[in-house]
Amino acid sequence: MNIIVLVKQVPDTSEVKINRETNTLIRDGVPSIINPYDRYAIEEALRLREKHGGKVTALTMGPPQAAEALKEAVSLGVDDVVLLSDRAFAGADTWATSYAISMGIRKIGQYDLIIAGKQAIDGDTAQVGPETADMLGLPFIAYIRKIEKVENNTMVVERLMDEGYDVVETALPCVITVVKEINEPRVPSLKGKMKAKSLKVAPWSAKDIAADESKLGLKGSPTQVVRIFPPAPRGQREMLSGPLEEQAAAVVKKLKEQSLI
Amino acid sequence: MDYILTEEQLMIRDLARQIAVEKIVPVRAELDEHNKFPTDVMKAIAQADLLGLYIPEQYGGLGKGSLDFYIAIEELSKACLGVSTTYAANALGTYPLLLFGTDEQKKKYLPDIASGKKYVAFGLTEANAGSDASGIQTTARLEGNEYVLNGTKQWITNGGEADVYTVIAITDKSKGPRGASAFVVDKGTPGFTFGKKENKMGIRASSTTELIFNNCRIPKDNIIAKQGMGFIVAMKTLDSSRAGVGSQGVGVAQGAIDEAIKFARGRVQFGQPVTSFQAIQHMLADMQTQTEAARALVYSVARMIDSGAKDFSRASAMAKLFATDVAMKVTTDAVQVMGGSGYMKEYPVEKMMRDAKILQIYEGTNQIQRTVIGLDMIKEASKAK
Ligand SMILES: Cc1cc2nc3c(=O)[nH]c(=O)nc-3n(C[C@H](O)[C@H](O)[C@H](O)COP(=O)(O)OP(=O)(O)OC[C@H]3O[C@@H](n4cnc5c(N)ncnc54)[C@H](O)[C@@H]3O)c2cc1C
Ligand SMILES: Cc1cc2nc3c(=O)[nH]c(=O)nc-3n(C[C@H](O)[C@H](O)[C@H](O)COP(=O)(O)OP(=O)(O)OC[C@H]3O[C@@H](n4cnc5c(N)ncnc54)[C@H](O)[C@@H]3O)c2cc1C
């Protein structure tokens, strides 16, 4: 089973401070880490490889120093890495990023499954997974908390929902994003760390992945940030359980208590 | 302090530190409270290749030296001595094979030990033989192609959890110190069972049990080294691992200092952080100075061993003695610096203080270490003239 894991290098937000005047993140001098959700994606890929054999490739798009995130992936045990790095990618929104990533994946060619974290902790958009799937014409399932089984080019997974979970069957190849409930990520191995240390990562350019330059970077980014605001908080909710009659009685009681009926 | 570690040693330190922070700290209180063997933590340590550090590459390990190994022990000990005892006793049980095993024995056992597929324990102590190991009463009688073991070992670390046991037993009582031999015994061998699991003051994550041999038959080839070499195997094994107990002391002492200073900086009394009182500053200063001295001694001994020294019995005894006495003092003082909070289970220092005590007892009590050092000094002095 050949698996591609999408990873992103992000600032360690536990160390980020906010500029109170501009309300933006102060990124200077903040250490970079692998997006925490991507560590779950890497772990799941490694576990699938241990079970089914095959190869795990970690792919990232970013500046040259994003190679560090790939090296960390190697120290954890991934077999191969791809760094998409080119001036032409700079300023990309999630759409242009997903386009570059999808072209990178096309160049890799051979894959059964693509796994990403549910979102990145810097942008928090949760868009690159689904957009990449769409551009590759692949099925997409978000918020996977468990991969139940993989056989005969199909996969059965559990998708975490607000209340409970869905069991979904999909054809392979497909793209999934995973939540932290899926596993407990491992620490690197010493052999992995030594391998990572001597690894030279040769980046792929826009040309290497045969990308249409007009769809890349700032030029290829339709997103316009108009305003940033916190969403209105959801009201308090309460789930009732038990026999229907008791639930109905409880609802009536609550409505009366609040003088709504 | 900078100990001029190699890039690889720094890598080992970072890796062990990551395991400590991510895998041990979140569970240590629970392991302690419930006397629970650290199964998942040991798996993480195995996956990180740290169980194979000191095993030669040709047997599936990484072929590193004592210092590399002690650095890993120190970092794990910062977080939990119960875990690091499990880890270090695994090496203690492996040394007889490593130092005296045949190529065949090494091929059979070491790769699985390096990968963490098999855990190991070392069985010397008995009810009537603690400091005086020559008092052991477990026997091994040769019958045809088999040795038959009878007797009970007491307080064996990793007992019940380990798959491989290196055991010292009497093969010929009339020969005195030349009358014991070392054996390797697999878990599951008929006649080999485990007694009660001890309920301990500290290192409660570490399993300590009896090993009971009742007409346990093992192949003749399971003898390690020659018949009669049992105590030599045991003493060389303890020489090799003893300074590692020193690094456990350095680790737990440093762990306690880190907790104490973090707490003290935030603790306000008399309108100021307690770190502003000279009484506290001086206590912290002594704690760190003693710990740094212990670390320097342990690292020096490790480098001496790694450079191929033949006799390091005195040196490793000094490293064990000094670093573990420091550990007891520093962990006690860490509780003191934190006042009543230090005494409570909400903070880890009371556990560190309970845990530290064992370091002065096992692998030869600190009284015995002093005897080893003193006798060696006198022997040297008598040779000098
Ligand atoms: C948690 C734990 C784990 C252990 N793990 C192992 C293991 O994995 N394998 C193993 O083989 N053993 C193990 N042991 C045994 C350990 O090595 C012994 O407890 C230790 O050697 C001391 O022996 P003892 O407890 O019988 O004390 P004793 O020998 O009875 O000593 C009692 C006191 O007398 C002192 N004393 C004894 N003789 C002298 C002397 N000649 N001069 C001065 N003072 C002396 C001692 O220092 C001590 O203070 C473990 C013990 C514990 C508690
Ligand atoms: C098990 C237990 C039972 C207790 N029972 C009772 C009880 O029945 N009734 C009750 O009222 N209290 C009780 N206490 C509270 C106890 O008296 C306090 O814990 C003790 O006075 C120390 O205060 P602290 O823990 O807040 O430490 P802190 O005052 O925060 O001290 C922290 C450290 O700073 C040092 N320090 C503080 N100020 C100075 C200074 N000016 N100069 C130098 N060093 C300084 C302290 O010596 C200590 O090392 C109990 C505590 C415990 C742990």
Side-chain angles (χ1 to χ4, degrees):
Chain A
M1 183 173 202
N2 291 327
I3 305 168
I4 298 171
V5 186
L6 307 184
V7 302
K8 184 181 187 187
Q9 191 180 43
V10 296
D12 187 351
T13 47
S14 62
E15 311 241 343
V16 164
K17 305 219 162 35
I18 309 267
N19 181 335
R20 286 288 157 217
E21 275 166 23
T22 60
N23 275 326
T24 53
L25 302 181
I26 305 170
R27 296 190 184 217
D28 292 347
V30 175
S32 294
I33 56 170
I34 286 191
N35 175 41
Y37 292 109
D38 301 347
R39 276 187 72 189
Y40 299 96
I42 293 171
E43 179 64 34
E44 201 57 24
L46 295 174
R47 288 183 188 195
L48 287 171
R49 183 188 67 187
E50 277 155 17
K51 237 194 187 144
H52 303 284
K55 185 176 148 183
V56 177
T57 305
L59 179 149
T60 193
M61 185 189 99
Q65 56 277 24
E68 288 308 313
L70 295 176
K71 287 186 170 196
E72 195 177 330
V74 166
S75 77
L76 290 163
V78 314
D79 304 282
D80 212 348
V81 297
V82 171
L83 170 62
L84 305 177
S85 193
D86 190 322
R87 284 248 164 112
F89 301 145
D93 66 359
T94 60
W95 185 254
T97 300
S98 301
Y99 172 70
I101 287 174
S102 68
M103 294 307 284
I105 290 172
R106 283 178 203 277
K107 180 169 154 99
I108 295 171
Q110 265 261 326
Y111 54 85
D112 303 295
L113 178 64
I114 297 163
I115 312 181
K118 75 161 178 157
Q119 65 198 55
I121 57 164
D122 54 352
D124 276 331
T125 67
Q127 288 171 357
V128 169
E131 286 173 358
T132 302
D134 189 61
M135 290 175 190
L136 290 167
L138 295 178
F140 172 77
I141 313 169
Y143 306 134
I144 305 304
R145 68 161 209 182
K146 186 173 178 197
I147 296 182
E148 240 166 47
K149 64 173 179 197
V150 180
E151 62 188 19
N152 305 331
N153 279 324
T154 63
M155 183 167 79
V156 178
V157 298
E158 290 181 9
R159 168 171 53 199
L160 184 67
M161 304 299 287
D162 273 353
E163 315 290 350
Y165 62 92
D166 298 338
V167 177
V168 185
E169 183 169 350
T170 174
L172 294 178
C174 75
V175 182
I176 61 174
T177 60
V178 298
V179 292
K180 67 178 188 328
E181 286 76 7
I182 195 166
N183 57 43
E184 199 192 314
R186 70 191 64 191
V187 294
S189 71
L190 192 58
K191 286 177 197 159
K193 273 174 103 86
M194 290 174 182
K195 190 172 158 200
K197 197 180 142 260
S198 55
L199 183 77
K200 298 264 178 296
V201 183
W204 289 3
S205 67
K207 239 206 209 112
D208 292 331
I209 57 173
D212 174 349
E213 297 255 351
S214 70
K215 294 184 179 172
L216 291 174
L218 206 52
K219 269 188 299 191
S221 297
T223 308
Q224 300 241 339
V225 180
V226 180
R227 190 162 63 94
I228 295 176
F229 59 95
R234 276 195 205 176
Q236 282 281 345
R237 295 180 307 165
E238 191 182 337
M239 293 297 286
L240 299 173
S241 58
L244 273 183
E245 276 124 71
E246 282 176 25
Q247 290 189 38
V251 170
V252 171
K253 186 163 165 260
K254 296 231 176 245
L255 292 174
K256 277 192 176 147
E257 269 169 16
Q258 301 186 23
S259 312
L260 290 168
I261 53 174
Chain B
M1 291 275 295
D2 187 347
Y3 293 94
I4 328 286
L5 301 180
T6 64
E7 211 164 340
E8 232 165 68
Q9 285 161 347
L10 293 173
M11 228 181 240
I12 292 168
R13 191 185 69 186
D14 291 348
L15 186 53
R17 196 170 280 176
Q18 190 177 353
I19 292 171
V21 171
E22 290 182 16
K23 307 286 180 189
I24 302 179
V25 169
V27 300
R28 64 183 169 191
E30 204 216 324
L31 297 176
D32 175 60
E33 189 73 27
H34 301 290
N35 236 341
K36 251 178 33 203
F37 187 77
T39 308
D40 293 343
V41 175
M42 286 301 286
K43 275 194 196 133
I45 291 173
Q47 198 161 47
D49 298 329
L50 295 185
L51 286 176
L53 269 187
Y54 51 89
I55 291 174
E57 283 173 288
Q58 71 193 104
Y59 301 114
L62 283 124
K64 303 287 167 224
S66 305
L67 184 53
D68 308 76
F69 180 42
Y70 294 172
I71 288 167
I73 295 178
E74 182 183 329
E75 289 304 323
L76 300 177
S77 301
K78 263 191 209 170
C80 177
L81 275 189
V83 169
S84 82
T85 293
T86 305
Y87 176 65
N90 205 59
L92 179 68
T94 308
Y95 281 128
L97 290 164
L98 208 56
L99 299 172
F100 294 95
T102 61
D103 185 48
E104 225 157 274
Q105 288 172 333
K106 289 179 183 174
K107 275 194 191 125
K108 179 171 174 198
Y109 289 106
L110 296 185
D112 284 347
I113 295 172
S115 70
K117 208 169 137 204
K118 289 190 169 158
Y119 297 147
V120 203
F122 176 69
L124 172 62
T125 304
E126 297 179 9
N128 295 319
S131 297
D132 181 9
S134 71
I136 58 169
Q137 290 162 342
T138 296
T139 56
R141 196 177 63 242
L142 186 61
E143 272 186 21
N145 276 332
E146 291 174 327
Y147 279 101
V148 185
L149 270 61
N150 277 292
T152 300
K153 295 289 171 185
Q154 175 181 267
W155 301 339
I156 305 309
T157 302
N158 292 348
E161 302 289 344
D163 308 279
V164 179
Y165 295 79
T166 49
V167 174
I168 312 294
I170 299 292
T171 37
D172 185 349
K173 194 152 179 56
S174 68
K175 293 208 168 129
R178 285 263 165 197
S181 305
F183 300 92
V184 53
V185 187
D186 295 308
K187 184 184 192 171
T189 307
F192 175 26
T193 54
F194 305 102
K196 72 168 187 296
K197 187 171 169 177
E198 301 293 344
N199 189 8
K200 305 191 294 292
M201 167 187 184
I203 57 162
R204 291 166 58 80
S206 161
S207 163
T208 317
T209 71
E210 285 174 335
L211 313 180
I212 302 169
F213 300 100
N214 186 3
N215 286 322
C216 170
R217 294 178 169 271
I218 56 171
K220 198 175 146 202
D221 292 344
N222 280 25
I223 194 164
I224 300 171
K226 289 198 187 60
Q227 190 164 309
M229 283 183 66
F231 286 125
I232 296 172
V233 172
M235 292 312 126
K236 292 284 170 200
T237 289
L238 291 167
D239 279 353
S240 300
S241 76
R242 210 161 251 155
V245 181
S247 55
Q248 287 189 288
V250 174
V252 71
Q254 192 63 59
I257 293 171
D258 295 350
E259 292 294 336
I261 199 161
K262 188 168 75 189
F263 176 88
R265 288 183 60 209
R267 175 64 176 166
V268 174
Q269 288 290 279
F270 304 100
Q272 46 202 313
V274 294
T275 43
S276 67
F277 304 125
Q278 203 174 52
I280 295 292
Q281 292 163 9
H282 284 189
M283 217 179 339
L284 289 171
D286 285 344
M287 288 157 74
Q288 190 62 64
T289 305
Q290 287 157 2
T291 302
E292 212 64 72
R295 185 180 282 125
L297 178 57
V298 169
Y299 286 14
S300 299
V301 172
R303 285 184 163 133
M304 175 182 165
I305 297 173
D306 290 341
S307 66
K310 283 255 146 31
D311 184 4
F312 43 82
S313 192
R314 186 207 299 187
S316 61
M318 290 197 296
K320 194 264 181 186
L321 166 66
F322 185 71
T324 61
D325 279 354
V326 162
M328 194 67 247
K329 178 161 193 329
V330 167
T331 52
T332 307
D333 287 349
V335 172
Q336 189 64 24
V337 165
M338 292 173 64
S341 300
Y343 197 76
M344 300 299 164
K345 298 221 175 202
E346 277 78 11
Y347 293 93
V349 292
E350 61 80 27
K351 171 182 179 297
M352 292 171 171
M353 179 177 162
R354 283 186 286 116
D355 287 351
K357 187 66 212 175
I358 191 60
L359 303 178
Q360 295 177 304
I361 297 172
Y362 67 21
E363 297 208 22
T365 66
N366 282 6
Q367 287 73 32
I368 295 299
Q369 305 306 326
R370 288 182 170 88
T371 301
V372 168
I373 297 161
L375 289 179
D376 192 62
M377 289 166 63
I378 294 161
K379 190 170 107 193
E380 188 185 74
S382 70
K383 268 196 213 145
K385 62 171 183 63

